[in-house]
Amino acid sequence: MIAAPVFWPRPSRLLEPLEVPAGKMADGLASLGLQTVGALLEHLPRDSREARTIATLAIGEQATVAVQVRSIRARPVRRRGMRPLVEASVYDATGTMRAMFFNQPWLVKRYPPGSELLLHGKAEARGGFRVTHHAPGSGSPAAAGAAPDAPERGSSEASGAAADGGEGEAARVAHYPATEGVSSTQILTLVRGARPALPDVSDALPARTRAAERLPDRASSLSAMHFPGSADDSEIARARLAFEELLLAQLLLLRRRARRRARADAPALDERPSLSERWLEHGLPFALTGDQRRAIAEIAADLQAPHAMQRLLMGEVGSGKTVVALYAMLRAVEHGRQAALMAPTETLAEQHFATVQSLIGAEPVSAALLTGSTRASRRREVVGRLASGELSLVVGTHALIEPDVRFRSLAVAIVDEQHRFGVRQRAALDEKGPPHTLHMTATPIPRTLALAGYGDLDTSALHELPRGRQPVRTGIVVGESARGRAYDELREELAKGRQAYVVCPLIDEDAPSRAHPSGRRQAGPGVDDGAHGAPSARAATAELERLRAGELAGYELSLLHGSMRPPAKQEAMARFASGRAHVLVSTTVIEVGIDVPNATVMLIENAERFGISQLHQLRGRVGRGEHGGRCLLMGASASSQRLRALAEHSDGFRLAEIDLELRKEGELVGTRQSGINQFKVAVMPEDASLLERARAHAQSIMAADPELEAPEHALLRDELERLYGREAIAPLRA
Ligand code: ADP
Ligand code: MG
């Protein structure tokens, strides 16, 4: 025992600067933020690949091999302008090849026969291998204290390679995010030099958490990432680092929420309800759904407290969010205070205003609309009445947060589709109060993802559709005869006086729709859309002409897409909304801002090109009135799991979960929700279950030691501060 070597970590070693001569490489490292030993060890490889053996290399292939030098020499340069060449005969257990290094004559001395090397490059004919990146392998005479090579000229490629081991079996090779002036291989060489400092890395995770989750310690995880042994080990190490990252992020969010709750910064709306209750009981033309009642109760409880509510109300289009929002606003009004609803577009603001007006009914509540196109005189009047307090309720766009818009007493703010507003805009709104805030979104988010993106908000969800609304009957249409029947169905609806949408993925035959951010295919391999490339995908403009002359001859058709000028768009929408056009042929621009209750059918071309949530949003446009809705997904394959999910399920939350599952299986690469991929190591949605566990641990840590004062939380606290700054560790009660 006594003779056993004792290791005292010396974290200060991590703060030592990296020793690199000034120049391009030092600049490159600085731009990656790699100036200390500690930062270097935190710079994780992007991935690791198995090193190849010489015998398995195919001509033309890019690969990394672990080899030993048999002989090495500089080839005379015969012509001016030819690049100096070093040629080495190298071998591994499977064979020999001729490695060529350009422009680095000094390598002859650096890599004498017997050196172990990692080479990354391209296999060429006749046993040649053109090296783009190289590093000494472990155990090589060249490895000891080797300064990395000067950047190779002519190799702008940002990946290099190196591996550990070299016992003849395939080694794994770490690939680092690199940049100009410093290649992945060079980073690896530096990491090797810094390896002795790894044991100085401290572990922020409390021992109890680590034991409960059976996680390796931080130093060995970093080691396994930099010097991968097996794919399994790397994944265990990655998961550990991801867990820590998620735990810290959740602690930050939970602490933010706790701090907000400890602050008395908003008026407590705690007087007995009068107006709001009367309105709920008698003013509504319908009975609330259970979800609506639950959300209202949650909001009422939030508003009673003297700190600002921060709640997210999720519910898809038509689920009845506005009623819930209006309840919150009326709570403000009956306290003699004001409320505002802010929407991201004028169309949405106008719709909200119309809904609010009709829902208020006979209640004596003064309300106004304020948008960018409100006339100057009207605007002056509204702004004046907001400042005086005469106006209780205002609905609008960004126009509401302009500096000269002042509220006498803003108590409740509703922000619709909050992700479409910037941080600055939300802060500007806060300055007008800071009010109790209800964020609304029509995109159902699986619970886990909501935790990552909005973990500091409380959430309410509306799952049920209001009574009387039937789910949109959804079918998959494959093949010509089914297509024919789909048009029959569509014409039947038109004959009954109903209207229809035809949605296409593209605007023109050759240009991806601008309205659809990923005109690229969202489907991965395994989802055959039968349309390889754009030409066979339906384009709105051409489809309009085709239908006009064919299946829908005799009906009025209107065209709508994202690159039309605003007046033309408005005209198209107005024609459809008024019933002058029977069919609206469009790209996905109709996702937002259209509400035509008389539209009952939607036909979606190349449905497999869209994501689940997008298709679900789209079909939410039909069946909004008293007539049921029908959605026909024109697909190349009836077995697409995504299309089948849509045909089977109508609950957007359930579909979001399925979407998550399918993405995990890699079927879909589609766009990712904003705000959930801000992590360095963790990847959403794949790490959703890690996130759940991190959340649970963060909660129990917060319950036991909210200020993180216990000794076992000291490092966690330091790490929070290091990552997120002082705000993260400020006391919860100021
Ligand atoms: P969202 O904003 O979630 O898209 P809205 O609040 O605009 O949905 O509601 C959609 C329509 O459903 C509105 O016309 C609204 O009056 C109506 N509605 C809301 N709640 C109910 C309910 N419980 N029963 C019947 N109709 C409802
Ligand atoms: Mg709405």
Side-chain angles (χ1 to χ4, degrees):
M1 266 303 262
I2 290 176
V6 176
F7 177 79
W8 300 103
R10 227 170 14 100
S12 63
R13 195 145 42 136
L14 299 171
L15 300 176
E16 285 170 11
L18 275 184
E19 295 193 9
V20 180
K24 253 174 89 180
M25 181 159 132
D27 295 345
L29 288 168
S31 76
L32 291 171
L34 305 181
Q35 282 160 309
T36 62
V37 172
L40 179 70
L41 292 174
E42 298 280 339
H43 187 67
L44 297 176
R46 192 175 36 211
D47 57 20
S48 70
R49 291 172 217 147
E50 218 148 81
R52 302 290 306 277
T53 53
I54 291 177
T56 61
L57 290 179
I59 291 172
E61 181 187 12
Q62 292 273 355
T64 299
V65 278
V67 298
Q68 203 160 345
V69 177
R70 187 196 301 277
S71 64
I72 187 163
R73 64 178 180 133
R75 284 264 297 264
V77 180
R78 276 169 291 162
R79 261 189 289 137
R80 263 173 68 89
M82 246 184 89
R83 300 194 289 163
L85 173 68
V86 168
E87 214 176 73
S89 167
V90 299
Y91 64 99
D92 67 7
T94 68
T96 304
M97 66 179 188
R98 187 167 40 88
M100 293 167 288
F101 306 83
F102 293 96
N103 288 320
Q104 301 157 90
W106 56 87
L107 293 181
V108 175
K109 287 223 181 65
R110 179 165 317 153
Y111 297 149
S115 305
E116 284 176 13
L117 293 184
L118 288 149
L119 303 179
H120 181 80
K122 191 167 165 194
E124 297 192 334
R126 293 187 304 279
F129 190 84
R130 179 182 282 261
V131 177
T132 49
H133 299 286
H134 52 92
S138 61
S140 162
D149 328 309
E152 296 102 317
R153 237 187 297 152
S155 69
S156 56
E157 183 202 349
S159 91
D164 219 26
E167 278 97 48
E169 83 213 54
R172 293 194 69 80
V173 177
H175 288 250
Y176 292 87
T179 186
E180 181 156 4
V182 53
S183 72
S184 169
T185 314
Q186 290 164 333
I187 291 174
L188 190 102
T189 308
L190 286 168
V191 169
R192 279 203 175 154
R195 193 172 191 171
L198 265 176
D200 294 319
V201 169
S202 54
D203 198 330
L205 285 186
R208 188 192 320 190
T209 311
R210 235 171 65 201
E213 290 292 322
R214 303 196 190 183
L215 299 169
D217 68 37
R218 184 156 229 282
S220 23
S221 301
L222 288 177
S223 179
M225 295 294 284
H226 291 303
F227 311 106
S230 70
D232 283 355
D233 285 352
S234 305
E235 177 46 30
I236 291 170
R238 191 203 66 83
R240 181 242 133 86
L241 296 171
F243 177 88
E244 175 179 326
E245 183 177 40
L246 294 169
L247 177 77
L248 286 160
Q250 286 300 312
L251 276 174
L252 175 77
L253 295 176
L254 290 175
R255 285 178 57 78
R256 250 187 215 160
R257 184 161 77 167
R259 200 173 301 121
R260 200 172 58 230
R261 291 187 162 186
R263 212 162 36 200
D265 59 355
L269 303 180
D270 54 3
E271 283 165 32
R272 271 187 59 82
S274 48
L275 166 64
S276 65
E277 193 162 275
R278 188 172 70 228
W279 172 73
L280 278 184
E281 306 255 305
H282 308 291
L284 287 175
F286 46 72
L288 294 175
T289 65
D291 283 344
Q292 282 173 323
R293 264 184 278 124
R294 196 166 316 116
I296 282 176
E298 286 162 347
I299 288 167
D302 287 350
L303 295 177
Q304 261 179 32
H307 50 260
M309 167 173 79
Q310 287 291 343
R311 181 170 289 277
L312 176 67
L313 176 63
M314 295 188 278
E316 45 194 295
V317 173
S319 60
K321 295 184 294 295
T322 316
V323 188
V324 176
L326 185 53
Y327 167 82
M329 295 197 273
L330 292 182
R331 277 303 271 152
V333 174
E334 67 195 347
H335 283 77
R337 294 174 182 272
Q338 293 164 296
L341 191 166
M342 182 164 77
T345 66
E346 289 195 6
T347 316
L348 281 171
E350 281 160 19
Q351 277 171 16
H352 277 304
F353 186 60
T355 311
V356 162
Q357 276 187 314
S358 78
L359 284 173
I360 290 177
E363 296 295 345
V365 177
S366 52
L369 178 70
L370 185 65
T371 70
S373 39
T374 304
R375 282 206 330 277
S377 56
R378 172 73 181 150
R379 181 176 189 281
R380 226 172 302 123
E381 185 199 331
V382 171
V383 169
R385 289 170 66 215
L386 283 175
S388 71
E390 258 173 280
L391 197 54
S392 309
L393 221 153
V394 66
V395 177
T397 54
H398 306 77
L400 290 177
I401 50 173
E402 278 168 27
D404 65 326
V405 178
R406 285 188 210 89
F407 292 83
R408 198 173 100 88
S409 170
L410 180 65
V412 168
I414 316 288
V415 183
D416 192 23
E417 299 303 344
Q418 59 125 15
H419 57 276
R420 294 180 60 185
F421 292 99
V423 174
R424 280 230 318 281
Q425 292 163 324
R426 275 178 265 164
L429 183 63
D430 255 2
E431 266 167 35
K432 317 240 174 231
H436 293 283
T437 307
L438 182 68
H439 309 269
M440 301 199 293
T441 177
T443 311
I445 307 165
R447 209 183 71 81
T448 38
L449 300 193
L451 285 182
Y454 310 101
D456 58 339
L457 303 184
D458 301 301
T459 57
S460 301
L462 306 181
H463 293 260
E464 298 166 63
L465 290 179
R467 205 183 300 279
R469 286 208 48 203
Q470 300 135 19
V472 177
R473 288 180 302 116
T474 302
I476 307 173
V477 177
V478 179
E480 280 314 303
S481 59
R483 195 171 246 288
R485 284 195 302 276
Y487 287 117
D488 289 343
E489 219 179 303
L490 197 149
R491 279 187 302 259
E492 267 167 43
E493 287 296 307
L494 297 182
K496 280 189 258 169
R498 306 282 92 78
Q499 288 165 280
Y501 297 98
V502 174
V503 183
C504 299
L506 310 173
I507 297 172
D508 297 311
E509 301 276 59
D510 49 9
S513 153
R514 260 192 254 158
H516 182 221
S518 48
R520 69 188 142 87
R521 295 174 51 186
Q522 293 201 356
V527 184
D528 188 357
D529 63 7
H532 301 285
S536 56
R538 305 264 166 172
T541 313
E543 190 64 5
L544 177 93
E545 296 307 327
R546 199 187 67 76
L547 291 171
R548 195 175 262 162
E551 282 92 344
L552 300 182
Y555 290 102
E556 278 303 311
L557 275 54
S558 207
L559 177 69
L560 179 66
H561 61 69
S563 42
M564 280 162 53
R565 301 176 53 79
K569 271 192 222 172
Q570 239 140 45
E571 163 64 15
M573 291 211 256
R575 260 167 53 85
F576 188 63
S578 68
R580 274 179 290 144
H582 306 115
V583 180
L584 187 67
V585 180
S586 79
T587 56
T588 53
V589 278
I590 55 159
E591 258 183 286
V592 278
I594 287 199
D595 187 6
V596 179
N598 190 45
T600 52
V601 199
M602 175 175 287
L603 198 146
I604 304 179
E605 292 290 352
N606 302 98
E608 63 288 320
R609 288 181 164 241
F610 300 100
I612 286 185
S613 66
Q614 200 178 15
L615 289 170
H616 182 63
Q617 295 271 55
L618 281 169
R619 74 176 169 182
R621 292 286 140 208
V622 291
R624 308 206 61 181
E626 70 229 70
H627 319 283
R630 175 80 164 132
C631 176
L632 296 159
L633 303 172
M634 314 296 258
S637 155
S639 64
S640 157
Q641 298 191 66
R642 283 179 299 140
L643 299 191
R644 281 218 323 263
L646 280 153
E648 281 163 29
H649 300 277
S650 56
D651 177 354
F653 289 89
R654 179 75 196 104
L655 285 168
E657 304 283 352
I658 293 174
D659 199 13
L660 181 64
E661 282 304 313
L662 293 178
R663 284 178 201 218
K664 270 193 219 168
E665 289 164 19
E667 182 185 300
L668 179 86
V669 190
T671 41
R672 296 188 152 161
Q673 243 94 17
S674 60
I676 61 168
N677 265 318
Q678 77 276 44
F679 303 110
K680 257 172 66 188
V681 189
V683 186
M684 291 300 151
E686 289 81 354
D687 284 329
S689 65
L690 270 185
L691 171 64
E692 291 268 10
R693 302 208 313 265
R695 170 82 168 185
H697 281 282
Q699 273 166 335
S700 68
I701 290 170
M702 284 296 288
D705 179 22
E707 297 288 7
L708 304 176
E709 289 162 328
E712 69 265 31
H713 296 148
L715 292 176
L716 213 44
R717 199 180 136 91
D718 289 352
E719 199 60 10
L720 266 183
E721 181 178 9
R722 189 178 73 84
L723 286 175
Y724 299 112
R726 292 208 63 83
E727 180 239 323
I729 55 157
L732 299 183
R733 277 162 208 289

